[in-house]
Amino acid sequence: MNTDPIADFLTRIRNASSISKKIVEIPSSKTKVAMAKILFEKGYITNYLVEEDNKQGVIKIALKYNPSTKVPAITKLERISSPGLRKYCNSKELPRVLNGLGIAIISTSKGLMTDKEAKTEKVGGEVLCYVY
């Protein structure tokens, strides 16, 4: 039983990129699939694939590296809101990560989205993590 599945998701990606692993497998959930989709759309990962099995399912994430220097595309993954201390922001107080170069993943009433999309939609929510 995992008490914080989002932190587990981020830690698995962080650990795999630190040893230059190409593919990381993570137990699937709707939230994790939505986070993988955001990371793919914003160019932080090469691709992702959701494989169904008899239990929970598995997300296979292909990590992205700079071809010449082998530096990972994801420099830092930082969990902001945790089960013990939730962090919420309204649409006017949404954080800017690395002065707009990074993204914050926000859980809103309209689903998971980045901080820029949430500002455009004028919705606030729980700040899950920062990615840069």
Side-chain angles (χ1 to χ4, degrees):
M1 176 81 189
N2 192 352
T3 57
D4 192 0
I6 296 169
D8 179 59
F9 173 85
L10 298 173
T11 302
R12 285 179 191 237
I13 293 175
R14 195 180 307 116
N15 290 344
S17 68
S18 70
I19 60 167
S20 300
K21 205 168 179 189
K22 294 208 184 317
I23 294 175
V24 59
E25 293 184 4
I26 302 168
S28 179
S29 74
K30 287 181 183 177
T31 306
K32 293 177 191 175
V33 170
M35 288 178 73
K37 183 179 180 222
I38 289 172
L39 291 175
F40 174 67
E41 288 171 352
K42 298 302 171 189
Y44 288 103
I45 59 175
T46 307
N47 208 343
Y48 70 99
L49 175 72
V50 181
E51 288 187 354
E52 295 299 324
D53 57 6
N54 295 346
K55 297 175 266 179
Q56 183 173 2
V58 174
I59 307 171
K60 290 187 176 182
I61 296 178
L63 298 175
K64 190 176 194 178
Y65 298 94
N66 184 329
S68 58
T69 60
K70 304 291 186 224
V71 176
I74 298 173
T75 312
K76 188 157 185 175
L77 286 166
E78 187 179 345
R79 179 79 159 117
I80 302 303
S81 185
S82 65
L85 183 62
R86 305 278 188 195
K87 299 279 185 189
Y88 295 97
C89 288
N90 63 28
S91 62
K92 293 177 186 79
E93 298 171 347
L94 288 169
R96 285 187 62 188
V97 181
L98 218 60
N99 210 15
L101 296 174
I103 62 168
I105 298 179
I106 315 288
S107 176
T108 68
S109 57
K110 296 182 179 180
L112 257 60
M113 56 181 72
T114 65
D115 53 334
K116 294 172 187 87
E117 292 167 350
K119 268 189 183 139
T120 312
E121 299 264 336
K122 291 190 171 78
V123 290
E126 183 181 354
V127 182
L128 297 179
C129 64
Y130 294 161
V131 182
Y132 53 92

